[in-house]
Structures are given as structure tokens and as C-alpha cells.
Amino acid sequence: MDGVETAQFGAVVVLGLLVLFYGGTFLISTRIGKRKENADGYMTAGHNIGFGISAASMTATWIWASSMYASATSGYTYGISGPIHYGLWGALMILFIYPFGKRIRAVAPKAHTLAEVMYARHGRSSQLMLAGSNLVGSLISLMSNFIAGGVLISMLSPLNFIQGVFAVAAGVLLYTLWSGFRASVLTDFVQVVAMLGAVAVLVPVIFFAAGFPAAFETGAANLTAQQSDFFSSDAFMNQGAPYIAAVLAYAIGNQTIAQRLFAVRQNLIKPTFVTATIGYGAMVIGVGMLGVLALYLGFEPTGGDVNNLIPEMAADYLPPVLLAVFFLMIVGALSSTADSDLSALSSIMMADVYGQNVAGKEKANPKTMLLVGRITMVVATAAAVAFASLQLNILDLLVFVGALWGALVFPVLASFYWDKVTNRAFTTSVIAALAVFLPVRFGWIPMDGVTGIAVDVLSVIGIGVVLGLMVFGFLGLRAAKITGVLSAAAAAPFAIGSLHEYATLSGSLVAYSVSTVICWAMSAGSGERFDFTLIARRTGDFDDGGAGGTGNAGGAAAAVPRQAEGGDGEPEPAGSARPDGASERVSKEETR
């Protein structure tokens, strides 16, 4: 493409822009660094971040280069409704987080990870299952951001893809390693302000440079009937519906989101997530419309690789100065999420692996925790760089991870509201859901006959679960049950017999339904009752509180040997729920 050739920067210019961006973020991180770093501050910044920083950080974390690329890919693939299906549902999922987030913070005000809370609620197997899924998910997210950076740099400079990946990975690691989560949230604020300003300028410039609005009249013949239909069933079934299911799972299962939930001041959860909803939707839908424009123009990305679409559109239609702004915008977007992934990975290894399963809560050394966190960042960066060389499709990665987390959504949420959910029910339901999800998603089994009908029935149940959970957060259990039953009943006549043909969507829905049905069935008849006040007692800061390094609310409970309900066999703090269903109540002074 001639446009790409004439708009390329020299290697010196690109390296200069990278030094400017990453050098600036590194200087910001050094200004907030501490000579004696605090392990809890490294993970959650003291649970006391204000509205402006937290809202910007939440927005920047949800807006990543991959979401921009994937939104444009959706517009290019599915037409005018593609970016709406991508950006609108993604934005609403941020909104759906806050009612659940308020409950999570109420029962675990000083936690660092959701997996840490699952340990306090159930035991080791549930904790490691959630932590393990987050390690995989954050690593894939990190890899996809490095892919986006490598593609961008290789498109706009003489540097190749691998060199671009290395440059981005080194830059992100440089400033995140210094102060962990604090560096991530502070640089997020600067990055999101710059990104929103850049989108407001760049998208209109590209549209008018490409001949808008005439291009939408002359290029209409390039669209199929489905692509030109705003209410396209193809777009909804292949993009919108799978993404609704996927991003709900992202909202609940993703440690980068949970980390910000545990970091923001408790009374600011609602305004933080409402603001992030608006910022995300406006930006991602706007960038996604570039994919629609490319479709109307008959624009062909190099090699048919849709990951090249956004960089090549920018190179073809932006003058050099604005192209440099675009370059920094994408670098900022991918960096804001990549540093969040590194912080999430480090906090999981610090709190869940070392803090509770290697050293134990009472013996964890904060200095060792910091070392573990920093080593994790280095190792994760190296692994993501290695996997990025595969250059996998970013949109497929996002939907796959979201569907994978779908198996965890109901067991995790139920564990915060229902005192009868057991560790065995949690673990069994998630494993069973994954065992069904994988063959459905990847077509390992034939989907004709009885098998296809069975998958459709489970998918219909999944529709009820997804919509019921969305309503539950805002309107409560009764409204959720009514919504779930009515939506499943309404979908059944249309879905049974055909839904299994959409592997991505049916795989996601099956993961929801199987985990929900099994978790409910195994918990409903349980004689146990869990005392939720125990969670606040069993979680807390590691840096405060004496030689043991524990500052969990009310002090450390003495550990007594106990066979865990799920068969894990780890020591449980005194005050655990007893097998006969009675729970040792904790005084207000202990849980304050």
C-alpha cells in the first residue's frame, strides 16, 4: 500500500516517541516510589484511591489497544452494528460490576484479590482455581497487547514485529516494576486523558480525509445485506451475544478489575464505575467506526490480517504529526492494560501463591512478597513476548478468555451472597463447566442429533443465567429469578435446534449453565451456613501487625488443624464454619 510506505516513520523517530512515552511514565513512577516499599501498597495502593484516579484507571484498563483493534475488526467484519455490539456491551459490563463490587468490598474490605477471598470463604482449591484462571487470562491479555504494539510499530517503521514487541514489553516493565499498582493507576490517569483527547481529534480527521460522508454512499455496494443492517442477526449472534456473556465473565473474574475494586475508596465504587462506563463506550465505539469506514471503502488490510487494519488506516489518511499522536494513543492504550496485567499477575503470586499457600498468612514476609511480585512481572513479560510471536487473532483471544471465565461467574457471585455454597460445590461445578465448554467451543464432538439438542437446552438455561445475574445486581433475587425464567422461556423456541451452530456463543452459555446448575444443586441441600463476617477477619493487609507481617482486621486468628470441607486439608483459622452447620460468631471488635 502506497499510503503505508509514504507515511512510515524512520526507526529513530519511532524510538524517540517510545523513549518520550515510556521515559515520561517512568519518571512519574519514580516520583511515587518509596525507599521502603510496602507490599500492600504495591498491590492495592492502601485501599484508598480517590475518584479521579480510580475512574481514569478503570477506564484505561478496560480500554486497551486490543479493544480498539477488536472493535474495528468487529465493524469491518459485521458492518455498522459491529462496534455497537462490541463497545456498548463492554461499557455496560463495567456498569454491572459496581453493585456486585459493593457487596464484595462490604464482606472483604481489605482484600487484595478475589482468589484471596475465595480462600477465606471456601479453602485452597477454590482459591487456586480462580487464581489459576486469572494467571492464564492476564497472560493472554498481556500477550495480545504486545501483539498490538508489535503490529503498530512494524506498520509504521522499519522495525519488524518482534522488535516492536520487545520495545513495548521493555517500556511497560520499566515503569511498572518500580512501584507496581501505584505506578499503574497514576500513569493510567495521564494516559486516559491523552487517549480521549486523541480519539476526539483523530477519528473525525480520518473520516473526512477518506471522503466522508460521500464514502458511505459510493461504498454501500461493498457491504452484504447483513453488514448494512443495523439489526443484523449475524452481528448479534457472532459478536454481540457472545460478547455479552464474555464481558460479564471478565467483569467478575478478571483480577485487573478486582484490583481496582479493592483499591478505590469504598464509598466511591459507584461513581467510579459509572464514569468508566461512559468513557469506555464513547472511545471504543468511536475507534470501532474506523472498521466500518474501511468496509465501505473496500480497504484491504495487508495479508488479510485484521490486526493490521487500524495502523494501516491511520497511516493512509493521517498527516505525519497526527500519525505520531495516533502512535502514542495506541501505545498508551496497550500500556495502560499491560501494566494492569503485570500488577494483577504480581498480586496473585504475592497474595495467593506466596502469601497464603507457601508462607501462610501469619508468616508471610512483606519484603519477600515484593521480591516475588517483581520476579513475577519479569517472568510474565518474557512469557508474553514469547507467545506474542504466534500473532493470534486478538478478537478470538478476548472472547475465548471471557467464555472460559464464564464457568466461574455464578460460583463466585453466589459465594458472596449465599451462605450455603460449599467448597466442593464450587470446585465441582467449575471443573464440570470447563469439561463441557471446551468440546462445545472447539467442536471436538459432533453437534448433530441428541447432542446438539442437549447443547441447545443448556445454552437456553445459560441465557436465563446471564440475564438473571445482570438483573440480580440491581434489583435483587426475586426480579432475577423472574427475568431468568422468562428470558429462557422466550429464547427456547428460537434457540433449540439451531443455537449449537454458533460455537462461540453456545460454548459461553454452556459454561454458565453447567456451573450454575451443579453449584446450586450441590449447595441447596447443604446443612452448612457460612458466617460472612469471617471473611473480613481472614483477609487483610500483610505489612501491618508485627513480626508475622499480618494486619488483617482484628488481628490474626490462631490456626487450628482442620480437614477442609473440600478435602484440601489446609489449616483453617479458628472461627471456621463447623461441619454441622454451626458457625463460630465473631465479635464486632474482632471484625472491625
Side-chain angles (χ1 to χ4, degrees):
M1 288 177 55
D2 293 338
V4 174
E5 293 173 0
T6 57
Q8 277 187 340
F9 296 125
V12 173
V13 174
V14 167
L15 291 175
L17 290 172
L18 290 173
V19 169
L20 173 66
F21 179 84
Y22 288 120
T25 51
F26 176 71
L27 288 176
I28 292 174
S29 69
T30 58
R31 292 181 65 86
I32 60 172
K34 296 183 178 181
R35 182 173 298 178
K36 293 184 178 180
E37 189 57 84
N38 178 294
D40 297 297
Y42 199 83
M43 291 187 283
T44 55
H47 313 282
N48 198 36
I49 297 179
F51 168 70
I53 295 293
S54 59
S57 182
M58 184 65 249
T59 306
T61 298
W62 208 250
I63 297 174
W64 43 338
S66 298
S67 62
M68 293 184 181
Y69 282 32
S71 182
T73 297
S74 184
Y76 188 74
T77 304
Y78 301 113
I80 57 178
S81 64
I84 306 297
H85 281 304
Y86 188 95
L88 177 62
W89 302 124
L92 290 180
M93 286 309 106
I94 303 176
L95 187 66
F96 284 125
I97 298 170
Y98 94 76
F100 297 121
K102 291 172 68 175
R103 170 63 179 174
I104 293 169
R105 280 296 297 275
V107 300
K110 294 291 185 180
H112 308 86
T113 71
L114 276 178
E116 180 186 5
V117 182
M118 288 301 102
Y119 181 88
R121 175 66 175 86
H122 292 302
R124 183 169 295 146
S125 63
S126 298
Q127 177 205 26
L128 294 181
M129 192 169 289
L130 186 56
S133 70
N134 269 285
L135 289 174
V136 173
S138 290
L139 189 60
I140 290 177
S141 172
L142 190 63
M143 174 186 68
S144 66
N145 279 287
F146 289 167
I147 289 173
V151 168
L152 177 71
I153 291 173
S154 65
M155 286 286 107
L156 301 182
S157 78
L159 301 176
N160 61 35
F161 172 79
I162 296 299
Q163 290 170 330
V165 168
F166 270 101
V168 169
V172 172
L173 183 63
L174 175 70
Y175 72 87
T176 311
L177 191 67
W178 186 268
S179 296
F181 181 75
R182 288 200 313 276
S184 175
V185 293
L186 187 57
T187 55
D188 281 349
F189 179 81
V190 177
Q191 290 162 359
V192 78
V193 170
M195 284 190 292
L196 289 171
V199 167
V201 174
L202 297 179
V203 172
V205 168
I206 292 176
F207 262 75
F208 285 108
F212 175 83
F216 281 83
E217 299 174 2
T218 59
N222 294 324
L223 279 68
T224 66
Q226 283 287 319
Q227 288 173 331
S228 59
D229 183 3
F230 185 80
F231 299 100
S232 166
S233 60
D234 187 38
F236 180 76
M237 295 301 290
N238 288 293
Q239 173 64 63
Y243 202 58
I244 293 172
V247 293
L248 177 59
Y250 262 97
I252 302 304
N254 193 336
Q255 171 58 20
T256 62
I257 308 301
Q259 200 165 16
R260 280 149 184 79
L261 174 63
F262 289 124
V264 66
R265 291 213 310 268
Q266 205 162 337
N267 63 321
L268 296 176
I269 291 175
K270 180 178 179 179
T272 291
F273 286 94
V274 170
T275 303
T277 297
I278 298 170
Y280 173 90
M283 186 168 181
V284 171
I285 292 174
V287 173
M289 293 306 294
L290 294 179
V292 179
L293 176 62
L295 182 62
Y296 274 90
L297 293 172
F299 196 94
E300 292 288 341
T302 300
D305 185 354
V306 290
N307 290 340
N308 298 333
L309 184 63
I310 289 292
E312 290 185 346
M313 284 285 289
D316 212 32
Y317 293 108
L318 289 177
V321 172
L322 290 182
L323 187 60
V325 174
F326 167 83
F327 178 85
L328 292 175
M329 178 189 75
I330 299 295
V331 169
L334 67 90
S335 299
S336 66
T337 304
D339 63 35
S340 300
D341 289 320
L342 288 178
S343 296
L345 288 164
S346 66
S347 66
I348 291 171
M349 295 300 294
M350 291 168 71
D352 295 309
V353 177
Y354 169 78
Q356 288 183 316
N357 286 288
V358 176
K361 178 73 176 177
E362 315 310 323
K363 298 180 180 178
N365 186 325
K367 292 183 179 179
T368 305
M369 292 183 74
L370 285 169
L371 179 62
V372 168
R374 286 174 171 145
I375 291 174
T376 298
M377 287 191 180
V378 174
V379 173
T381 300
V385 167
F387 289 130
S389 63
L390 300 175
Q391 289 187 262
L392 301 174
N393 184 282
I394 291 173
L395 185 57
D396 288 344
L397 288 175
L398 298 183
V399 175
F400 171 74
V401 174
L404 194 65
W405 275 331
L408 288 157
V409 173
F410 181 84
V412 168
L413 288 180
S415 296
F416 284 101
Y417 291 90
W418 192 17
D419 60 2
K420 297 181 72 173
V421 178
T422 65
N423 185 50
R424 187 175 290 111
F426 186 108
T427 305
T428 304
S429 63
V430 172
I431 292 175
L434 293 178
V436 178
F437 160 74
L438 292 173
V440 172
R441 173 63 181 84
F442 294 106
W444 295 347
I445 55 177
M447 286 294 169
D448 51 358
V450 176
T451 304
I453 297 298
V455 169
D456 289 343
V457 171
L458 289 174
S459 298
V460 167
I461 296 172
I463 292 172
V465 171
V466 171
L467 296 180
L469 287 174
M470 291 179 179
V471 172
F472 172 69
F474 291 96
L475 301 178
L477 183 59
R478 181 180 177 85
K481 288 180 177 179
I482 294 173
T483 300
V485 171
L486 291 180
S487 58
F494 307 97
I496 296 177
S498 61
L499 195 55
H500 61 270
E501 297 173 4
Y502 301 91
T504 301
L505 175 57
S506 57
S508 299
L509 294 174
V510 163
Y512 276 95
S513 63
V514 171
S515 63
T516 299
V517 170
I518 294 178
C519 185
W520 174 83
M522 294 183 66
S523 301
S526 171
E528 290 197 18
R529 293 292 186 274
F530 182 78
D531 179 4
F532 285 103
T533 62
L534 293 174
I535 293 179
R537 185 183 180 190
R538 295 173 182 173
T539 59
D541 292 338
F542 288 86
D543 276 282
D544 305 328
T550 181
N552 52 345
V560 295
R562 170 182 174 266
Q563 180 68 24
E565 175 273 320
D568 298 315
E570 73 270 18
E572 286 288 326
S576 300
R578 297 179 184 142
D580 62 359
S583 298
E584 179 180 330
R585 295 293 170 179
V586 184
S587 68
K588 292 181 179 180
E589 289 74 17
E590 288 177 310
T591 58
R592 183 168 299 153

